[in-house]
Amino acid sequence: MISKSKTAAPDIDKLTKPKAKVELMRLRLAIEGHDKAYYQDDAPKIPDADYDALRRRLEAIEAKFPELLSASSPSQTVGAAPARGFSKVQHAVPMLSLGNAFSDDEVGEFVERVQRFLKLEDIPAIVAEPKIDGLSLSLRYENGTLVRAATRGDGFTGEDVTANVRTIADIPTTLKAKTIPAACELRGEVYMLKHDFLALNKRQEEAGDTVFANPRNSAAGSLRQKDVEVTRSRPLKFFAYAWGEMSDYPMESPTQHAMLAWLGEVGFTVNPEITLCHSVDDALAFYRRIGERRAALPYDIDGVVYKVDRLDYQARLGFVSRSPRWAIAHKFAAEQATTVLEKIDIQVGRTGAMTPVARLQPVTVGGVVVQNATLHNEDYIKGVGSDGSPLRDGVDIREGDTVVVQRAGDVIPQIVTVVLDKRPADLPAYKFPHKCPVCGSHAAREEGEAVWRCTGALICPAQAVERLKHFVSRLAFDIDGLGEKQIVLFHERGWVKAPADIFTLKARNAELKLENLEGYGETSVRNLFAAIDARRNIELNRLIFALGIRHVGEGNAKLLARHYGSIDVFLAAMRAAAEGQTPEGNTSEAYQDLDNIAGIGDVVAEAVVEFFAEPRNVGALDALLREIEVLPVEQAKQDTAVAGKTVVFTGALTKFTRDEAKAAAERLGAKVAGSVSKKTDYVVAGEDAGSKLTKARDLGVAVLTEDEWLALIGG
Ligand code: IVH
């Protein structure tokens, strides 16, 4: 994913103006989306390095075509507008962002620019500060008392988080100093210590709550809580490093380093690593030293910020669009390491999706031991991106390859490149398995989809719980007293692994003894078995739906059931269609017949045949059919009183359920609609019918009671 954007994007030099316009629009939408994910949802979707690359590209195109620059471009704004829920706060002085330097040369250029601008012979003193990876906060103090705390938001308007901020011990509610400015906005970074983040995540996971991707998201998520008590329970910390409005400065000839010392005096924590530098080499040495210690620091940093020390210089330098001329961020390169990919494993998800995972020789990346990296899907391994463009310059990934892994911004490591020089000449390309590693069923990949899926819907242990839950759901077998909770429990105990097992529970109960389960007694067990027995007669459409075949929902199940009429005809047709399956396609008559059913398209037909082409599914279905009887579908009768009529059911029905009413009406050839119109023939109104009844009366549509409806359809 990472190299894709770099290799696939057209060269800026070759862009024509119309193409540039389109490209700017694309970049703008992408950046805005990522801003929202990062600032409002605290859930970034791409690593910081990729985000920076998008911004740099946008800025480079705008530099080449200045006439295309608009005021609403992300290059002219910061962050994302405040999220709903917190009230808005206008910053007295905007909270702007920082320009980035990615190399030593770019840091040198920054200092030269400052010198040129100020016409200085000598290099000005520069403060080097760790760039804390948290979220920035502005605190307004009036006469030394905290009156308002706000997040950055879009730089001009942030969210009012005063109540939450009052719970953070590092933030003083009153400033300790003899003379304090009448009004000041003091600023810095809210963050979470790495070990606090890990402990919090562990607690969250145990409680089944949100698990955060990294300390930054965890700090942001913890601060922006509607319930202040939740914020209080989170270990948030704060480093002060900047300010906005200051009615006066607390010293003569103020400097960045003197202001930091003052922030420390009035009660803030100031980062102890901050260093005053007198040359570019000093500043770069600081960057290198802190970079080496990065993993060992108790908090996350993502670079170094260099700031011109003298505030009078800062004032003269001022701002360009969204960032100050007097400061720059020197980001760390995404953390990378080289290791060997030992093996590719396939994980099977709850819905059968097969995801390849790289097992790596353990390697430390950014202070964390990495052993696994996701490989997404077959195309990704082959070096093809989701949009068909080449990834990693089209280089595939093989078991035994030496690879460069990266952790950037988030915790999921990725494979950036393959070191081809180290690939043994005879290393075979990876063959994506066409069989499920969990149950051995064959796998299928739909056209236009990147994912291979296990077809063993009925028997694959990786999918079992999900499938069984579906099997007993309301529109499928709908067994009273056998819901998701019981399915999970019975599956855990190994009592129900496949649908047929539900119907053999009673016979096995001498051994299982369900009545000994907590919350069960003899009566409830008897009731459960009675409810299961009641479902030994099941309509064909419900059975087909219950199988959980991909793309076969309630509607398609009905189409299939009506077309084939009985289970025997259906099974014979499916067997014939499955036998016609060849790698080149399926020309069997049975397949053509299936594919020709009105409303059933190729995708559905193929999914149905894939299901029946897997002998394990057929085996599980046979076992089920030994336990139950499938009722043939009565073909829609064309000679009934309601054939061809449109009916709407409304209000609380007491004689039958809504589903039963619908099924009966459809069986008799009527169409059941959800809303009343001139085309409606009958409205069947139960108790407390509301607007639909009124509308029916207004339109003069015939309104029937439940009894009148039953009489009309013959009971
Ligand atoms: S100074 C006008 N100093 O980095 C510039 N920012 O990319 C004000 N950050 O929004 C920012 N550590 O959230 C500054 N020592 C530091 C910082 C720092 C972290 C963050 C801050 C800012 C972002 C800019």
Side-chain angles (χ1 to χ4, degrees):
M1 217 138 303
I2 291 168
S3 50
K4 179 183 69 187
S5 53
K6 287 179 194 149
T7 49
D11 213 335
I12 291 176
D13 294 339
K14 295 194 189 120
L15 275 184
T16 57
K17 196 161 145 188
K19 287 230 170 82
K21 207 168 167 182
V22 174
E23 176 81 357
L24 281 177
M25 176 78 84
R26 186 184 72 78
L27 286 165
R28 183 177 157 181
L29 289 174
I31 292 170
E32 283 170 359
H34 291 307
D35 278 345
K36 185 181 169 297
Y38 186 93
Y39 290 108
Q40 291 188 1
D41 308 336
D42 302 322
K45 296 206 171 68
I46 54 169
D48 290 357
D50 289 10
Y51 174 83
D52 289 339
L54 288 177
R55 266 196 179 273
R56 294 198 120 199
R57 185 165 171 80
L58 175 103
E59 283 164 17
I61 298 176
E62 286 176 346
K64 183 161 182 227
F65 300 98
E67 63 277 27
L68 295 180
L69 178 69
S70 85
S72 56
S73 161
S75 64
Q76 308 299 304
T77 58
V78 183
R84 281 166 291 150
F86 291 94
S87 55
K88 292 180 184 174
V89 178
Q90 192 94 16
H91 302 299
V93 172
M95 291 180 81
L96 296 179
S97 188
L98 292 170
N100 288 318
F102 291 94
S103 64
D104 291 1
D105 285 350
E106 290 183 11
V107 176
E109 286 161 19
F110 158 72
V111 177
E112 277 168 26
R113 263 199 313 275
V114 168
Q115 274 181 282
R116 240 188 345 253
F117 194 94
L118 298 173
K119 298 204 167 55
L120 297 179
E121 294 272 316
D122 297 325
I123 288 191
I126 302 276
V127 175
E129 305 181 2
K131 188 169 183 300
I132 313 298
D133 200 6
L135 71 152
S136 51
L137 191 68
S138 183
L139 306 160
R140 185 173 179 84
Y141 289 85
E142 287 174 5
N143 300 316
T145 305
L146 176 68
V147 293
R148 186 83 59 241
T151 60
R152 179 164 75 166
D154 63 4
F156 298 95
T157 312
E159 296 163 336
D160 185 336
V161 286
T162 316
N164 307 64
V165 160
R166 287 188 196 282
T167 68
I168 303 176
D170 271 356
I171 297 180
T173 44
T174 48
L175 301 179
K176 289 183 285 179
K178 275 179 245 108
T179 49
I180 21 178
C184 54
E185 283 179 347
L186 305 182
R187 295 175 175 174
E189 202 85 353
V190 177
Y191 67 99
M192 200 176 276
L193 292 172
K194 292 182 202 168
H195 75 261
D196 282 340
F197 153 74
L198 292 172
L200 171 65
N201 253 3
K202 199 159 164 239
R203 286 202 300 278
Q204 295 282 105
E205 193 173 354
E206 277 162 12
D209 286 337
T210 330
V211 172
F212 298 101
N214 54 40
R216 198 209 80 88
N217 293 351
S218 174
S222 298
L223 179 70
R224 293 156 79 246
Q225 288 285 334
K226 297 286 150 49
D227 182 351
V228 171
E229 291 314 310
V230 176
T231 305
R232 194 190 305 282
S233 73
R234 302 284 173 81
L236 291 172
K237 314 269 294 170
F238 183 77
F239 279 129
Y241 54 67
W243 52 91
E245 185 189 348
M246 291 291 290
S247 56
D248 335 270
Y249 280 93
M251 66 213 57
E252 272 177 41
S253 24
T255 57
Q256 177 74 22
H257 80 272
M259 280 298 287
L260 289 172
W262 178 77
L263 286 168
E265 278 162 34
V266 301
F268 285 100
T269 309
V270 176
N271 187 283
E273 310 291 340
I274 296 178
T275 302
L276 186 59
C277 304
H278 297 281
S279 69
V280 174
D281 284 347
D282 270 7
L284 293 176
F286 175 86
Y287 174 83
R288 252 176 282 291
R289 259 196 327 272
I290 198 111
E292 281 161 15
R293 292 175 44 228
R294 182 179 179 190
L297 289 174
Y299 43 83
D300 271 349
I301 62 173
D302 57 348
V304 167
V305 185
Y306 307 113
K307 300 175 180 173
V308 172
D309 191 37
R310 278 175 56 166
L311 297 202
D312 57 335
Y313 285 171
Q314 289 191 3
R316 278 169 59 195
L317 284 158
F319 294 82
V320 247
S321 68
R322 58 192 270 271
S323 19
R325 268 197 209 90
W326 47 265
I328 198 159
H330 191 184
K331 293 268 197 85
F332 293 131
E335 299 246 6
Q336 299 189 338
T338 302
T339 188
V340 174
L341 186 161
E342 295 183 321
K343 191 170 178 300
I344 296 176
D345 275 342
I346 303 287
Q347 285 178 347
V348 185
R350 291 184 311 167
T351 55
M354 292 171 32
T355 309
V357 179
R359 305 295 181 202
L360 307 166
Q361 243 168 38
V363 62
T364 305
V365 189
V368 172
V369 179
V370 170
Q371 318 192 51
N372 306 312
T374 177
L375 295 172
H376 304 286
N377 54 49
E378 181 182 26
D379 289 349
Y380 184 90
I381 295 177
K382 285 187 174 158
V384 184
S386 52
D387 57 0
S389 62
L391 271 178
R392 304 177 299 269
D393 294 328
V395 175
D396 66 331
I397 295 174
R398 305 182 182 185
E399 290 181 325
D401 262 335
T402 298
V403 294
V404 177
V405 272
Q406 166 169 302
R407 267 179 79 242
D410 48 29
V411 289
I412 302 169
Q414 290 162 315
I415 290 180
V416 192
T417 44
V418 173
V419 186
L420 282 179
D421 295 349
K422 296 217 172 154
R423 177 180 280 177
D426 55 352
L427 200 64
Y430 178 71
K431 279 206 198 76
F432 202 93
H434 293 187
K435 258 192 170 76
C436 171
V438 177
C439 73
S441 294
H442 76 281
R445 179 179 168 172
E446 277 173 18
E447 220 180 292
E449 270 230 11
V451 179
W452 280 90
R453 284 174 200 279
C454 163
T455 59
L458 279 191
I459 44 92
C460 181
Q463 304 178 56
V465 170
E466 224 47 35
R467 300 302 183 186
L468 288 165
K469 279 185 195 167
H470 174 78
F471 187 84
V472 298
S473 64
R474 198 172 57 85
L475 296 169
F477 271 68
D478 191 22
I479 298 172
D480 263 354
L482 192 60
E484 293 197 2
K485 215 173 90 195
Q486 292 79 11
I487 284 292
V488 170
L489 177 71
F490 293 175
H491 184 262
E492 252 172 32
R493 305 223 160 198
W495 297 347
V496 174
K497 294 187 185 133
D501 299 340
I502 293 172
F503 295 92
T504 59
L505 272 174
K506 188 160 96 179
R508 290 182 288 144
N509 198 40
E511 188 192 323
L512 306 180
K513 299 200 191 333
L514 258 65
E515 55 280 2
N516 292 345
L517 280 176
E518 204 185 303
Y520 278 78
E522 299 215 336
T523 320
S524 52
V525 170
R526 207 176 316 121
N527 288 345
L528 175 64
F529 290 155
I532 293 174
D533 281 344
R535 282 305 192 180
R536 285 184 197 268
N537 292 307
I538 189 93
E539 295 90 344
L540 178 59
N541 55 307
R542 276 184 182 261
L543 171 78
I544 295 176
F545 174 66
L547 298 179
I549 302 170
R550 209 166 138 68
H551 304 299
V552 179
E554 188 207 1
N556 284 337
K558 277 188 183 154
L559 292 179
L560 293 169
R562 284 207 200 107
H563 182 79
Y564 294 103
S566 75
I567 183 78
D568 295 337
V569 176
F570 176 61
L571 288 182
M574 292 305 108
R575 211 164 291 142
E579 276 163 17
Q581 190 88 315
T582 70
E584 289 76 43
N586 195 327
T587 49
S588 67
E589 224 171 279
Y591 179 80
Q592 296 308 324
D593 180 50
L594 166 68
D595 199 30
N596 283 339
I597 299 174
I600 299 284
D602 292 348
V603 174
V604 182
E606 276 161 29
V608 175
V609 177
E610 286 292 356
F611 179 93
F612 285 95
E614 177 49 57
R616 288 152 228 253
N617 286 334
V618 177
L621 182 54
D622 282 346
L624 174 66
L625 293 175
R626 283 196 285 277
E627 302 296 328
I628 63 173
E629 189 171 336
V630 184
L631 307 174
V633 172
E634 287 179 52
Q635 299 298 323
K637 294 184 187 149
Q638 295 311 311
D639 55 351
T640 67
V642 295
K645 306 277 191 214
T646 300
V647 190
V648 173
F649 293 96
T650 182
L653 304 174
T654 54
K655 305 259 152 106
F656 33 75
T657 67
R658 192 66 65 99
D659 289 331
E660 276 172 333
K662 191 169 172 221
E666 285 175 351
R667 213 165 34 237
L668 298 171
K671 207 175 122 207
V672 178
S675 59
V676 179
S677 72
K678 273 188 288 189
K679 290 194 190 132
T680 312
D681 296 293
Y682 300 110
V683 168
V684 181
E687 280 168 29
D688 301 323
S691 60
K692 286 184 196 167
L693 178 58
T694 320
K695 186 155 182 204
R697 294 213 170 105
D698 289 349
L699 294 174
V701 173
V703 176
L704 307 179
T705 62
E706 285 177 80
D707 286 328
E708 285 167 341
W709 164 255
L710 285 175
L712 181 68
I713 63 171

